[in-house]
Amino acid sequence: MMFWDLLLPLLLVIKGVRGQWNVWMPRDISAMTNSCVVIPCTFMYPSGIRPYRGTHGIWYFGHPYPQLFPPVVFKSRTDIVHESYKGRTKLLGDLHQKNCTLLISNIGLEHSGKYYFRADLGGANVYTYPDYSDLRVLDQPTIDVPDEIVSDRSLDLTCYVPDNCPDMSPEIHWMYTDYLPDPIFTSEYEEDSNTAVMFSTLTFTPRPIHNGQLLGCRVHFPNTTFVYERIISIDVKYPPRSVWVNVSQEVMEGTSVMLHCDVDSNPVPRISWHFGEEELQWEMASNFSLYLEALIPEQEGVYTCLADNGYGIMNTSMYLAVKYPPRDPVVNHSVTVQEGNSISLFCSTQGNPAPTLTWLKDGELVGTITADELSELELLDITPQHNGQYRCLAENEYGRASSSLNITVEFAPILLDESKCTVVREGVQCVCMASGNPEPAIEFYLPDLNITINETESRFNYYTHTDGYTSTGMIKLREKGERTGNGGTGIHVHCSITNIYGTETVQLELQQEKKYMMAVIVGTIGGVAVIAFIIAAVRYVGHNNKKENGNPGQDLVTKVENPSMYYSAVKKDKQSLRKKVLKTELLGSKFNSILEESGTGEEGDYQPVGSMAGLERQELNYAALEFIRGRPREGAQGRADNGSDYSEIKAK
């Protein structure tokens, strides 16, 4: 009643100010079913109006206009009301005091709606106020839930129940709070616009686990059987708290794989798959799968599933390994290198798992086996033996591949052991063999006659052959013509081998063929007479040379130490004996010269051939050099075949 005492002077002030038809009542008011509700009401009318036969009032439901025949809730002149309000309504206020407060008892849901008051002052002074009070009849309490409930943020849930029935006072209790973390309960009573509300607040901090949890508010009116309940499910928003993806796995090149991602969050997140910095696919869902087909090695790497729902971001990654056999190794280009230098060979490839790299030279293992994608083979102080094919072999459990290169070693010429002069049936065969890169050029030189025989010398037949890095040069010489009157003299045979890296000149050794060795042995055993003849012949030749040349210092000892080849003409009947003598002497002294017969001279006389003879007589002497079955090099301009198988050597 204190409230009304305070409200009335205020309304009187308003009346004095305005002095118009006005009414005050709560715009909204609520009550529980089967309970009651009091609608506070105060009205005013113009001060110049005097009520005729008292002041009366009418409460309508739904409409303010009588002509629409709205249901009558209460009427002060009679008890005639709408049947749904019979025995339920009562005017608590004094109309003479301009108090139109109404009590409605035992209300039901059908009584929810707008209530209008009409003042009847008699005569024409009847007025329906357009303001109304909207009654809401509730069958359960109201729980005020925030628009957004976020995990780990404090939450207040409030349960409201109207307390607008003077005869009944509600009590509020919360349900299903046993598993809440440290809940706090507070109760309050509040009046607003002359309506009363009882409410209870539940305070706690929700977690993601509380999403979807049921909470209830129960209202009970003591001394009654009326019980009202409201149950809600709370929607707790929380960022992604777990992102599950496949474990890291290994797959073969060319196969397919499915990557799964499941996310726990509220609301549903945006799930996206990333490969490195690139976003591949996305979708709004709680789970999302990425399908990869026909995998290639470039697709190996880290795949990340990222979830973002506006409240937070979370991601999880996995590693996808793509296995494949080694690719063809990449090696150096084939190279040409000079002897004595060094070179490094590199081999790189790709494979998963990392392949082992093996270096092979002409099929044989060289270096060490490397378990990596890069291998280096270092070759120091290159020799001709390093020449060949080098292959890099890459292997892993899924296959193998290889690549090769060639190393060409260039080196100075080397004389081979096969180089020599040999006494054969036709005369003497001189062979010079050398190895080198580039292939060496070979030429023969007769220093005593100052004659050079090579492929450019058109006067002689010259045979040469190249096989790989080996060059072979050959000449064949034999005795021709008649011996000169002065006897024979000897010359040496030198072999010269040359390429861009060097030149070497050696004197060829003279060796006997086996069949001639046997003949010499038999001849030696055959008699002392032959040996005596040899000694006599040597003394005779030495005596003539000393006499003709006037050079007593050149004795027989010197000739034995530096033996020469003899070219002279002998009589036909002395040919066989002469060959035996010379062959025996050459064999015993290991001569390195060419046997040749002189083409001129009288029978039984020995003519010197070479520089010595020329110095004394100052005349031309001739010896014949014959190339047996010789093949000239291409382009050489040889002499026409006129029946002669020798060429003349002219010494002045």
Side-chain angles (χ1 to χ4, degrees), residues 422-444:
T422 305
V423 177
V424 295
R425 176 180 302 176
E426 297 85 355
V428 177
Q429 174 179 281
C430 292
V431 176
C432 186
M433 296 183 66
S435 177
N437 189 17
E439 297 87 349
I442 298 177
E443 62 182 16
F444 294 94

Side-chain angles (χ1 to χ4, degrees), residues 339-354:
E339 179 182 16
N341 291 339
S342 299
I343 189 174
S344 293
L345 304 183
F346 294 93
C347 176
S348 63
T349 185
Q350 291 182 337
N352 194 3

Side-chain angles (χ1 to χ4, degrees), residues 324-333 345-351 355-360 370 372-376 390-396 399-405:
Y324 59 97
R327 298 295 187 249
D328 290 338
V330 177
V331 298
N332 309 59
H333 294 293
L345 304 183
F346 294 93
C347 176
S348 63
T349 185
Q350 291 182 337
T356 58
L357 298 180
T358 305
W359 281 100
L360 304 172
T370 304
D372 199 353
E373 292 185 347
L374 177 65
S375 176
E376 178 182 2
Y390 290 77
R391 179 174 297 276
C392 178
L393 175 64
E395 295 179 285
N396 66 11
R400 62 168 56 186
S402 67
S403 297
S404 62
L405 72 145

Side-chain angles (χ1 to χ4, degrees), residues 61-190:
F61 175 76
H63 299 285
Y65 308 113
Q67 60 270 26
L68 297 178
F69 303 103
V72 176
V73 176
F74 173 82
K75 190 174 184 180
S76 60
R77 288 182 179 273
T78 65
D79 295 332
I80 300 174
V81 297
H82 191 274
E83 60 181 7
S84 62
Y85 291 96
K86 287 182 178 181
R88 297 172 184 261
T89 59
K90 180 181 179 180
L91 190 66
L92 298 181
D94 185 354
L95 295 178
H96 293 88
Q97 298 295 326
K98 300 177 182 178
N99 188 336
C100 52
T101 301
L102 177 68
L103 171 64
I104 305 175
S105 303
N106 194 23
I107 59 177
L109 295 177
E110 69 276 11
H111 298 132
S112 296
K114 298 176 180 178
Y115 288 83
Y116 297 87
F117 178 70
R118 180 180 177 84
D120 184 0
L121 305 179
N125 298 316
V126 179
Y127 184 78
T128 301
Y129 296 94
D131 294 333
Y132 59 88
S133 182
D134 190 0
L135 173 64
R136 291 173 46 197
V137 180
L138 308 175
D139 59 355
Q140 58 183 2
T142 300
I143 298 179
D144 186 9
V145 181
D147 294 337
E148 184 179 72
I149 301 175
V150 181
S151 173
D152 301 320
R153 297 183 188 176
S154 181
L155 171 65
D156 292 334
L157 297 179
T158 303
C159 179
Y160 295 90
V161 60
D163 189 12
N164 295 311
C165 181
D167 299 333
M168 304 170 63
S169 181
E171 294 180 356
I172 302 175
H173 300 278
W174 285 95
M175 301 182 295
Y176 313 121
T177 60
D178 296 340
Y179 299 101
L180 296 182
D182 303 321
I184 300 174
F185 305 96
T186 57
S187 297
E188 294 185 32
Y189 179 84
E190 181 180 298

Side-chain angles (χ1 to χ4, degrees), residues 197-459:
V197 176
M198 179 72 72
F199 61 89
S200 175
T201 301
L202 168 63
T203 302
F204 69 100
T205 301
R207 301 286 186 265
I209 194 175
H210 298 128
N211 181 48
Q213 180 169 336
L214 298 178
L215 293 175
C217 174
R218 172 178 289 180
V219 176
H220 170 65
F221 288 93
N223 302 321
T224 68
T225 59
F226 302 148
V227 177
Y228 308 91
E229 293 180 352
R230 176 73 180 272
I231 299 175
I232 63 169
S233 174
I234 59 175
D235 183 19
V236 180
K237 308 295 185 183
Y238 57 93
R241 62 173 180 168
S242 68
V243 178
W244 178 91
V245 298
N246 308 61
V247 296
S248 296
Q249 54 184 302
E250 299 177 351
V251 294
M252 268 300 295
E253 178 183 24
T255 60
S256 302
V257 68
M258 183 79 75
L259 307 183
H260 300 282
C261 181
D262 289 324
V263 180
D264 178 13
S265 72
N266 186 32
V268 170
R270 179 186 186 272
I271 299 179
S272 56
W273 276 102
H274 297 255
F275 180 59
E277 298 297 328
E278 178 186 3
E279 182 179 86
L280 302 178
Q281 296 180 17
W282 69 272
E283 186 174 301
M284 297 294 297
S286 59
N287 59 77
F288 181 47
S289 296
L290 175 67
Y291 180 68
L292 302 174
E293 59 180 345
L295 287 166
I296 59 177
E298 288 73 18
Q299 290 177 284
E300 176 172 335
V302 177
Y303 288 80
T304 301
C305 176
L306 185 145
D308 182 359
N309 69 345
Y311 293 93
I313 299 175
M314 188 176 186
N315 66 76
T316 301
S317 300
M318 56 87 65
Y319 192 87
L320 181 66
V322 180
K323 303 296 184 180
Y324 59 97
R327 298 295 187 249
D328 290 338
V330 177
V331 298
N332 309 59
H333 294 293
S334 294
V335 64
T336 298
V337 60
Q338 185 177 352
E339 179 182 16
N341 291 339
S342 299
I343 189 174
S344 293
L345 304 183
F346 294 93
C347 176
S348 63
T349 185
Q350 291 182 337
N352 194 3
T356 58
L357 298 180
T358 305
W359 281 100
L360 304 172
K361 178 184 180 294
D362 299 329
E364 298 294 331
L365 175 66
V366 292
T368 59
I369 299 177
T370 304
D372 199 353
E373 292 185 347
L374 177 65
S375 176
E376 178 182 2
L377 177 63
E378 190 173 11
L379 303 178
L380 303 175
D381 195 16
I382 294 291
T383 66
Q385 286 68 35
H386 288 104
N387 192 89
Q389 183 187 70
Y390 290 77
R391 179 174 297 276
C392 178
L393 175 64
E395 295 179 285
N396 66 11
E397 58 188 279
Y398 299 104
R400 62 168 56 186
S402 67
S403 297
S404 62
L405 72 145
N406 291 318
I407 292 182
T408 302
V409 180
E410 292 187 341
F411 55 95
I414 302 172
L415 187 71
L416 302 182
D417 294 339
E418 291 81 359
S419 301
K420 59 188 175 181
C421 288
T422 305
V423 177
V424 295
R425 176 180 302 176
E426 297 85 355
V428 177
Q429 174 179 281
C430 292
V431 176
C432 186
M433 296 183 66
S435 177
N437 189 17
E439 297 87 349
I442 298 177
E443 62 182 16
F444 294 94
Y445 178 60
L446 307 179
D448 298 292
L449 302 179
N450 194 25
I451 295 175
T452 299
I453 303 174
N454 56 33
E455 58 185 357
T456 62
E457 179 56 67
S458 60
R459 295 178 298 166

Side-chain angles (χ1 to χ4, degrees), residues 29-59:
I29 193 170
S30 58
M32 303 303 296
T33 58
N34 300 319
S35 68
C36 67
V37 63
V38 174
I39 303 176
C41 178
T42 301
F43 67 96
M44 292 182 295
Y45 51 85
S47 59
I49 296 177
R50 297 291 182 265
Y52 177 71
R53 296 182 180 179
T55 302
H56 298 277
I58 304 173
W59 281 93

